[in-house]
Every structure is written in C-alpha cells, then in structure tokens.
Amino acid sequence: MRLVDTSAWIEWLVGSSTGERLGPALPEQTAWLAPTIVQLELAKWLTREAGEERADQVIGFSQLCVVAPLDTEIALSAAEICGRLRLATADAIVYATALKYGADLLTCDAHFDGLPGVVYLAKSDPQPRRGPPPG
C-alpha cells in the first residue's frame, strides 16, 4: 500500500517533470491510500487552481482508492508525531495514517525526507529516495 501525499498528487496532476518521474511510483488504485486530509487539501488546491469541475473529477478518482478517514487512533498518533518530529498538523496526520495502514509515503515535501517508510522525490532528483523501513 502506498499513501501519495498532496505534494506528489499536485506534481502528477500538473504534469511537471517531477510528476512525470513520480508516475512509475504511483500505485494501482486498489493499493493507493487516500487520507481524507489529502482529499481536503486537494479539493482546496484544485478548486482554486483548476476549478470546481476538475476538483470533482480528482476527488472522484481518489474515492476509488483506499480512503482513510481521520479517526481517534490516527489523531492521537499525529499529536505525538507533531511533538516528536515537529511536523505540521496535516503532515503529522498524513504520516500517522501511513503508519497505521502499514503504507509507505510517496512525497515531494523535504520535511519527510529520511523518515522511515518515506519515498521522497525532490524536484531536482532523477529518482525517488527511500527512507529506512518503519520499525
């Protein structure tokens, strides 16, 4: 299972060179974990940048993935992660969701680089870098 962070979604959706390099790392929909916090971030960004119709299309696609709602277990784990790793709330929720589901996290956000279970692709990197396994 792979959780695709908002940053990776956006690069893929705009067809950037980073998004093209991410393409092979994107999972099949049945293995694509879509947290509700990522759906929220995507809906906000897409509505602003591409319009409501495009936002509806992408959110429709995400609903065919494995949708992970924010529950109490994830919220409490995210609170701990906020303090320990100094991640912003939404990022901590994303990371806690990946940990709960045993998924790796595909991202272009540097603050995740090197964390266990993270597959990080900087905009200048030719290939994604994989962090150590969670554990």
Side-chain angles (χ1 to χ4, degrees):
M1 178 109 21
R2 175 160 283 173
L3 190 160
V4 180
D5 185 24
T6 307
S7 63
W9 271 93
I10 290 171
E11 293 296 330
W12 178 60
L13 288 168
V14 300
S16 70
S17 61
T18 301
E20 289 176 13
R21 291 192 317 275
L22 281 170
L26 295 174
E28 297 292 320
Q29 279 183 301
T30 56
W32 188 320
L33 186 60
T36 51
I37 189 77
V38 170
Q39 289 177 316
L40 178 149
E41 291 177 325
L42 283 172
K44 282 176 44 180
W45 183 85
L46 283 160
T47 300
R48 183 181 68 244
E49 299 296 325
E52 217 168 294
E53 184 176 330
R54 182 68 174 138
D56 289 345
Q57 291 169 346
V58 173
I59 296 305
F61 174 91
S62 76
Q63 289 177 308
L64 299 175
C65 299
V66 178
V67 176
L70 175 58
D71 61 19
T72 302
E73 180 183 349
I74 293 170
L76 294 176
S77 176
E80 185 273 328
I81 288 168
C82 279
R84 184 169 46 88
L85 299 178
R86 301 194 189 275
L87 291 177
T89 300
D91 293 328
I93 291 168
V94 166
Y95 193 57
T97 303
L99 294 175
K100 177 181 177 176
Y101 283 81
D104 59 20
L105 171 60
L106 178 62
T107 186
C108 300
D109 283 340
H111 49 266
F112 288 116
D113 189 18
L115 292 178
V118 169
V119 178
Y120 170 67
L121 179 65
K123 292 183 181 184
S124 60
D125 287 346
Q127 294 288 327
R129 295 191 307 253
R130 185 174 192 85

